[in-house]
Amino acid sequence: VPISTLTPCFSCAVNRHISSPRSMPFFSDFCLAAVYVSDAQFNRNIFFDTSPQAVSLYLLYNHWAMQMIVYVFIFVDLALALFEDPAVIPMPIWGTSLVEMICLIVFTARLFHYAKVIPRIRFWKDPKNICIIVIILLSLIDIIIYGSLKSTGYNAVRWSRVLRPLLLVNVTEGRQLRRAFRSIRNALPQILYVFFLFMFSMLLFSLMALKLFGKRNLFTVDGEPYFTNFLDIVFDLYVLVTTANSPDVMMPAYNYNSFFALFFILYILINTYIFMSVFLAVVYNNYKKHLKEEVRQLVKSKRQKMLRAFAVLQQPGSGEELVVSQENWNQLVHLVQPDISNAHRELLWSISDDCNKSHIGKLAFVQLPDLLNIQVITMKSRPHPLHIWFPLLYDSSVSRLLRHAVKHKAFVYIYDLIILVNAIFIGLDEENPLIAYAEWAFLALYLLEILLKLYTWEPRAFFAKHQFWNCRQILDIVLILRVLRLIRVVDSIKRFRTIINTLIKIGPTILTFGQLILVVYYIFAMVGMELFKEKVKYLEADSTDPYKDSCGTPLLRGTTFAKNNYCKNNFNNVVSSFILLLELTVVNQWHDILSASAVSHVSARLFFVFFHIVVVIIIINIFVAFILEAFFVEYTVEKSDLQTSLEKKIEELELSVDKYVAQQSVHGFKAVWLYNNLFHLFFSGYKTVDGLLQRMFEADLSLEDADDMDDPNFSNITFDSV
Amino acid sequence: VPISTLTPCFSCAVNRHISSPRSMPFFSDFCLAAVYVSDAQFNRNIFFDTSPQAVSLYLLYNHWAMQMIVYVFIFVDLALALFEDPAVIPMPIWGTSLVEMICLIVFTARLFHYAKVIPRIRFWKDPKNICIIVIILLSLIDIIIYGSLKSTGYNAVRWSRVLRPLLLVNVTEGRQLRRAFRSIRNALPQILYVFFLFMFSMLLFSLMALKLFGKRNLFTVDGEPYFTNFLDIVFDLYVLVTTANSPDVMMPAYNYNSFFALFFILYILINTYIFMSVFLAVVYNNYKKHLKEEVRQLVKSKRQKMLRAFAVLQQPGSGEELVVSQENWNQLVHLVQPDISNAHRELLWSISDDCNKSHIGKLAFVQLPDLLNIQVITMKSRPHPLHIWFPLLYDSSVSRLLRHAVKHKAFVYIYDLIILVNAIFIGLDEENPLIAYAEWAFLALYLLEILLKLYTWEPRAFFAKHQFWNCRQILDIVLILRVLRLIRVVDSIKRFRTIINTLIKIGPTILTFGQLILVVYYIFAMVGMELFKEKVKYLEADSTDPYKDSCGTPLLRGTTFAKNNYCKNNFNNVVSSFILLLELTVVNQWHDILSASAVSHVSARLFFVFFHIVVVIIIINIFVAFILEAFFVEYTVEKSDLQTSLEKKIEELELSVDKYVAQQSVHGFKAVWLYNNLFHLFFSGYKTVDGLLQRMFEADLSLEDADDMDDPNFSNITFDSV
C-alpha cells in the first residue's frame, strides 16, 4: 500500500491566502500539484475535487494511517470466521455481531469520506462503491436475520460471510487485486473455449471407456464394479487429468490386458499433458495481453495527471513555451517527498533539466514520478569513526593488517566454510553436549565477524551497501532461523544471486496473488463449512467415541481416508477448511479427501470440481504465467530505458561509475561517486509492483505513447473498476 | 521423413554426355541443382561430392526406400528387447543375436554408403558417424561376450542394449531429434543453476524439518518414526515437490499441531509452485533461444544450397546480372517435384518472376524451396459427372431442390443432432435390441449423408475441399471409432476449429518428442530391467504362490503397493517397464511404486530421482514450452510473410480470392479461383516441421538475414552433429 507523505499539505485549506511572490503559484497550488504527482507516482486513479478543502480531505483519505485502519478492520472482519460457528475459538453471537457492526461502521465512514472527496456523480457511477454499499447492507440484514432466528431457536445460515473477502477487492487501495480479477475475467472466454474442448475430449474418452471396459466384469481394488457407470467414469477420468488417481484407475484394465494401458496413455497424453499446457498457453497469452492494455492505460493516466500538475505550476518561459522553474520544482519535490536528500534532488533536477536552463518544459516535467520511483540511496562517504577518535591506533600496522585480512576474499570463504560446518552440526544430534556447546562457539564466531566488519568499514556505509543481505545477518543471531545462514553461502555465487534476486523482485506481486487466493479460499471455505461441517470429526487419541478410528462416522469405516489418518482434513472450522483447500490445490489424493468430506454426497463433487477449475486451472496458471513472464523479462531486458537515461545523464555530468559497485550490479544496485567521493547514490529497480509491470511491457509501450503527449483534451480514464 | 522424388536423376551418371543446346546446362547439372534444391527444401545438410556418380549415389542414399529400410531395422533392433531376457515372448539367445547381427550389418552398409557419398575427411570429422561405428562395435563385442558367457553357464548382462536408442539420434534422418537433444544440452547449464538452488532450498527445509519434528516422537500411519532421519526427510520432501505424497507427509505433524501446517504450506509454495515454474521458465527460455539460433543456421545453409544451385544453372542475363531462364527453371522444378501440376508451376513462376522478364535473378531463385514447401492443391473446377451423363434429370426441379436442401445450413445442423442422439444411444445399454437396431439406422443415415453430398458436389472437389475432415467421415463407418463422429459437431464451431487445427499442426513435432521420450525410456527401461527384474511378480488369480497377495515376495506383505494391486507395475519385461516409466512420468504414487520395485533397496531411489529430473523436469517442460510457443505463434502471427507475398502476387495477377473458401481459411486453407474458375488452388501451411519452426521465429530472422545475401564466400555449415 503506497503511503502518502504529503503531511505539510494538510493545512492547505487554511493557508490558502498566504501571500506569495507575484510569479509564484499559491501554496495550495503546490499542494494540488503535489497530490497529482503523488497520485501519478503510486498510480492512484481517483478523480477528486480540486478545491483546497477537498484536496486536504483527499490527502487525509490517502494518509497511511487511514489506509491502515481500513485494512485492520477488513482483517478483523475476515478473522471473525475464527470465532463464529463452526468456530476455532467459540464466542457468543452477540460478541461477533458487535465486532462485525463496528467493522461495518468503519467501512461506512470510509465510504462517506470517499464521497466527500470526489464529485457526487462519479461516486454513484463507480461500481466499487455500489459494491461496498451492497455488501454492508446485506451483512447488516444477515446479522439481524441470523440473530433473531438464533434467539428464537431456529436454524440459520450466515450467508453474507461469503461477501466479506469482496471488500478486499473493492476498497480503493485494492488496485492490484482488481487488476488481477479483471485479467481473469477478460481471459475467461478464451479459457472457456478450451475448457469445452477439453470436456468434450473427456466425454469422448469416457464413452470409449464405457464401451471398452463396461462389459468385462472387472472390479476395482475395493471390489466395486469397474467403469460401468458413465458419470462415474467421467469423474474418474477428470481426476486422472489431475494425476491424483494414477495409476489406480488404470490397474484393473491393465491387469486384465496389458494392451488396455494404451487407452490410458493416450488419454494422459491428450488431456493431462496437451490440454493442461494449452490451458497454460491460453491463460498466459490472455493474461499478458490484458495486463499490457492495463499498463498502457496506467501510463496514459499517469501522464495526464502530470499534465494537470504542470498546468497548475506552469509559468511563461522564454519563448512561447510554458515552463516550471527550478525553484517551484524544488518546492514541489520537497512536498511530495519531504525526506529526499539535497544531493538526490539535485541529481534528479540535472536529469530533468537537459540544457541547464533553470526551468523545464512539459516533457521533462512529466518524467518526475518515474524519477521519484527509482530507488536512490544517498550516503555520505566519510572516514571510519574509529579513525577520527583513535587515528594512531586505527592506522597502526596491526590494525591495517587486520582490516586488509577482513577485506580479503579468503575471509569470506572461511566464513562460508564455518557456516557449512555449522549446518552439518545442526543436522547432527543435539543431545550430545559437545554439539550444544559448539553452537555457542558458532554464535561467537558470527558475532566476531560482524564486529570485524564494522571495524573495517564505516558502519553506515556497511549497512547501506549490503541492504537486504545484512538484515539476514542480524537474523542469523535469531536461533530459530539459524539454518537460513546457509543462504549466505549461496549468495556468494553470482549466478545464484541473479535467480534469488529475481525471486525477491517477484515478492510483492506474489502478495497480490496471496490476496487473490485468500479471496477465493475464503469464499469456498464459507460455502464448504455450511455444506460439510461436522460430517467428519477429528478425535483425540483419548476419545471414547465408538467410531474413533473412522473419523467419528460409521460411513468412513475402512476407507482410505480413515486409514491414512486424514480425519483432520475437514470443514469443521475455518483453519482446517483453509488447509483442506490447500491440499485440494496441491491436488494429490483429492478424490479421497472429497469422498470423505462429502460422505457419499455425490452432488458435492461439483463443489470440488468447480474449486479445481477456479484455483488450479485458472489462478495457479496465472501465477505460473506471471513467474514465467518475470523471468523472461529478467533474462532479456537488461536495464529499463529510464535507468539507462539516468546513467547517461550521470556520465554527461562527468561523473564516473565506480567499479566496485558496478561489480555489485548483479544485486540490481548501481553506485555513483558524486562530486569527488562525497556521496554515493545506489539505485535499484522500481519501488512498486506497477513499476515492475511497466518495465515488463516497456518496449511495447514507449513508442506509441510518445504520440499523444501533445493532446491537450485529456479526460480522466475510469478503468479502475472490476 | 522427407521423401526424395528425384527418380529421373538416378541415370544422371549415364546421361552425362547427352548433348544439349549450346546455352543450356548439361542434364547432370540439372540433377545437381535439383539435389541442392531438394536438400534446401527438406533441410538436409550433407556435404556430398558433386561428381555425377556421387550425386546419383547421394540420390540413392536419400531415396525413401533406403531411409525406410534403415528405420525398419532400427525398429527391429529396438524391438529385440521384447524377445531378450527378461522377455515378453522368450526366444533363444542365438535367435536374437542373429537378428541383431543382421541389423548391425544393415547399419554398417548404410554407413559405407554414406562414406561413399561424402568426402572421406568429412566422414571422419562427423561425430554422428563415429558414434554409429562405436555403437556397432560395442554391440558386436557385447553379443560375443554375452553369448560365450551364457553358453558356459555364467551370468551376464546385455549392457550394450542401452546404446540401441542412440542409433535413432545418430542416423542421418534424425535431424529433428538431434536438434531437440542439442537444445536440451545447451539449456543444461542454466537448468543446473536453478536445480542447485532448488536442492539447496530443499536441504534447508529438511534441516528445519529435522529440528522441528525430529524430537517430537511422532509416527507415520505405518507406525514408522516421523522425520527423524535426515536423508529420509530429504527424500520425502523431494517427493512432496512432485505432490505425490501430499497430504500424507504432512498429516502426523498437522495432527500434532495445526500450526505445523504452515511449514508445509511454505515449502509447497516455494518448492512446488515457484521453483517448478522457474524450471519451466528457464527451460522455455533457453530452449527457445537455442532453437532460434538453430533455425537461423538452417535458413542460412538453405540459402547457401540455393546459391550453389544457382551457380550451376546461371546464364548471363541482359545486364551484368546472372540469371536462370524460365525454361531451365521449369526443368529444374520438374526434376525436383515431378508430380507438380502445370497450373501450380506457372503460379510459382509468376510469383518468382516479378517483372515478366522470362528469367529470374539470384534473389528470386533462392525463394524456390519455400515456395515448394507451401502446400498447394490444384483442382479443376468441372461440372458434376451426373450433370454430364443425365443433364435433364440432374437439372430437374426436384433434383435442384434436393441439392439446395443439402447445401442449406439446416442440413448440417440436422446431422449434428443425429450424431448427438447417436452418442447418447452409445452411452445407453447395448443389450437392448432396439438400441442395437438403432445403430444400424444411424449407419444408414450416415451413408445417406455421404451419398447426398456426393450427389450435390462434384466428387473430387468435395474430397479436396474437406481434406482432413473427410477422412474422418470415412472413419465414421468404422464401428469401433464411432464415438469420434462427435468431433464433427465440435468442428462446426469456428472457435473450436482454430484450437483443434493448432493441435493438429503441432502433431508432427509431438512425434519428435515421442522419439525423444522413446530414447530416454528405452535407456531407463534397460537399466531398470537389469537392476529390478523379478523383484516383484504379477501372479494370475489361479496361482498357488504362497505370496500371491504380496506380489510373490514376503517383503511386500501388507504394503500399499500390494494392497492397491500394483503387482503388474514391475521391470519384468520391456512392456511393463515402459508402462511403469510412464506412471513415474505422471508422478502420482511414484514413491509407492518405487519402494516396491526397489524392495527396500535404498540406493535405487537415485535411479528414480534421476529419472524424474530427466523426464519430468527437463523433457516434459520442453514439451510444455513447445506447446506454449506454438499457441503463442498461432495467437499472434496471423500469416507468414511468404504466404502473404503469394497472395499479393495472386492479386497482382488480377485473380480474385474466392469468398467461400476465404471463409474456410480457419482451416489454414485458402483457395484461389485461377483463370475464370478453371482451377482452384488451396494452400495450407508448410509441409515440414522445420517450416513450422521457421515460421515461429520468422519475425526475428527475416531482417538480419537479408544482409548476407550477397556474400559469395559461403562455406558449408556443420551444425548437424550432437
Side-chain angles (χ1 to χ4, degrees), chain B residues 4 11 89 93 117 131 206 245 317 425 437 445 462 521 555 638:
Chain B
S4 166
S11 48
I89 306 148
I93 293 171
V117 167
C131 230
S206 303
N245 60 356
F425 269 65
Y437 284 127
L445 279 171
F462 176 68
Y521 269 31
L555 291 166
E638 279 294 290

Side-chain angles (χ1 to χ4, degrees), chain B residues 391-591:
Chain B
L392 282 176
L393 195 72
Y394 196 70
D395 266 346
S396 70
S397 61
V398 179
S399 162
R400 268 193 290 177
L401 192 71
L402 185 69
R403 284 188 281 147
H404 193 76
V406 172
K407 280 178 180 171
H408 198 271
K409 270 186 178 179
F411 184 78
V412 178
Y413 292 147
I414 288 169
Y415 264 94
D416 283 355
L417 192 72
I418 291 173
I419 291 168
L420 278 177
V421 172
N422 190 189
I424 294 165
F425 269 65
I426 293 169
L428 293 173
D429 193 12
E430 229 174 40
E431 302 291 307
N432 192 327
L434 204 75
I435 288 170
Y437 284 127
E439 192 49 52
W440 288 105
F442 282 117
L443 211 73
L445 279 171
Y446 295 137
L447 266 174
L448 182 69
E449 185 198 7
I450 292 175
L451 288 178
L452 280 174
K453 281 185 173 173
L454 285 179
Y455 181 77
T456 311
W457 281 286
E458 203 274 326
R460 258 178 278 188
F462 176 68
F463 280 107
K465 215 181 275 171
H466 291 80
Q467 271 213 337
F468 168 79
W469 301 102
N470 254 67
C471 303
R472 214 198 41 251
Q473 217 171 37
I474 293 156
L475 279 180
D476 275 356
I477 302 166
V478 183
L479 271 167
I480 305 159
L481 293 171
R482 55 196 167 170
V483 278
L484 287 181
R485 281 174 211 145
L486 279 171
I487 294 178
R488 241 181 50 185
V489 181
V490 176
D491 171 42
S492 58
I493 299 157
K494 192 182 151 190
R495 294 253 183 193
F496 292 153
R497 229 181 325 192
T498 322
I499 299 168
I500 292 177
N501 273 297
T502 310
L503 289 176
I504 291 169
K505 274 184 197 163
I506 299 170
T509 321
I510 288 179
L511 286 184
T512 307
F513 281 103
Q515 286 187 9
L516 195 70
I517 285 278
L518 178 70
V519 171
V520 177
Y521 269 31
Y522 201 90
I523 294 173
F524 274 98
M526 291 303 132
V527 176
M529 272 163 29
E530 293 300 342
L531 289 175
F532 310 120
K533 69 181 168 197
E534 299 300 327
K535 297 235 175 185
V536 174
K537 291 194 197 82
Y538 175 66
L539 301 159
E540 299 292 336
D542 52 359
S543 159
T544 56
D545 193 293
Y547 301 116
K548 202 187 82 178
D549 290 334
S550 57
C551 308
T553 163
L555 291 166
L556 283 174
R557 180 165 284 173
T559 57
T560 323
F561 188 87
K563 272 189 222 148
N564 284 352
N565 252 343
Y566 283 180
C567 304
K568 211 174 175 181
N569 295 325
N570 55 40
F571 275 107
N572 293 354
N573 64 54
V574 71
V575 172
S576 63
S577 301
F578 265 68
I579 291 171
L580 172 56
L581 291 176
L582 181 93
E583 286 169 10
L584 292 181
T585 307
V586 174
V587 158
N588 201 53
Q589 304 289 6
W590 70 289
H591 55 302

Side-chain angles (χ1 to χ4, degrees), chain B residues 692-707:
Chain B
L692 181 66
L693 290 176
Q694 234 167 291
R695 200 181 156 201
M696 279 186 179
F697 302 118
E698 217 151 49
D700 302 300
L701 292 171
S702 50
L703 279 172
E704 57 189 286
D705 286 327
D707 303 337

Side-chain angles (χ1 to χ4, degrees), chain B residues 622-633:
Chain B
I622 287 188
F623 181 70
V624 172
F626 187 85
I627 292 184
L628 287 183
E629 187 64 22
F631 265 82
F632 295 161
V633 169

Side-chain angles (χ1 to χ4, degrees), chain B residues 615-646:
Chain B
V615 175
V616 181
I617 293 188
I618 300 179
I619 296 182
I620 295 291
N621 270 339
I622 287 188
F623 181 70
V624 172
F626 187 85
I627 292 184
L628 287 183
E629 187 64 22
F631 265 82
F632 295 161
V633 169
E634 207 54 36
Y635 277 118
T636 52
V637 182
E638 279 294 290
K639 296 168 200 168
S640 84
D641 273 349
L642 211 89
Q643 256 186 302
T644 317
S645 83
L646 197 60

